[in-house]
Amino acid sequence: MPILRVETNLPASAVPETFAKELSELAANMIGKPEKAFCIILHPDRMMLFGGSKEPCAFVNVSSIGKIGPVENQTYASVLTPFISEKLKIASDRFYIQFLCREPDDISKDGRTIAEHRRAAAL
């Protein structure tokens, strides 16, 4: 269920065609959950300022049920920062990465919360 969202003021034409797939593979390896569980969301062409400037910038959100915490987040930041900076050509000091730990009752798939899916699987 991990969700990784990237919002940027870059035009869609400046985002490499392979970016989403490469990010999906990187995130799956990084977090240790199967790629088929990930949702990667890209939002180019955003009206954004960072530090009062319209220079290329981004906001990255990583949310997951578990696998988020102080130690993990530092590891994820050290992996995601160079990847995003290199692939999108955005300086590493021009984006934030937000990490959110979600509860199984906060996310649903196929009409049931993840908590309900887990309860059903345990029977």
Side-chain angles (χ1 to χ4, degrees), residues 33 65-66 103-104 112-123:
K33 292 189 177 188
I65 297 172
E103 295 297 322
R112 296 185 294 166
T113 65
I114 300 301
E116 196 55 38
H117 280 283
R118 289 178 177 176
R119 283 191 282 276
L123 297 176

Side-chain angles (χ1 to χ4, degrees):
M1 148 289 125
I3 301 167
L4 206 152
R5 184 176 64 233
V6 178
E7 298 184 54
T8 180
N9 61 353
L10 291 176
S13 61
V15 177
E17 189 175 310
T18 60
F19 180 76
K21 179 62 175 161
E22 290 176 18
L23 181 59
S24 181
E25 292 170 355
L26 177 78
N29 288 328
M30 177 183 77
I31 293 178
K33 292 189 177 188
E35 187 179 2
K36 69 180 182 176
F38 277 78
C39 180
I40 305 295
I41 304 165
L42 301 177
H43 292 289
D45 298 307
R46 293 295 203 195
M47 293 180 66
M48 295 177 70
L49 291 178
F50 192 100
S53 167
K54 289 184 179 182
E55 291 299 311
C57 63
F59 176 76
V60 180
N61 176 278
V62 179
S63 59
S64 178
I65 297 172
K67 303 277 189 159
I68 298 286
V71 174
E72 295 95 337
N73 296 353
Q74 184 55 55
T75 300
Y76 302 159
S78 69
V79 171
L80 288 171
T81 298
F83 177 83
I84 291 165
S85 186
E86 291 169 18
K87 297 291 181 177
L88 297 182
K89 309 289 190 255
I90 298 175
S92 62
D93 64 349
R94 299 274 311 147
F95 60 90
Y96 288 127
I97 303 174
Q98 178 184 50
F99 303 99
L100 298 172
C101 188
R102 299 295 185 189
E103 295 297 322
D105 289 311
D106 294 341
I107 306 292
S108 72
K109 179 183 178 187
D110 198 23
R112 296 185 294 166
T113 65
I114 300 301
E116 196 55 38
H117 280 283
R118 289 178 177 176
R119 283 191 282 276
L123 297 176

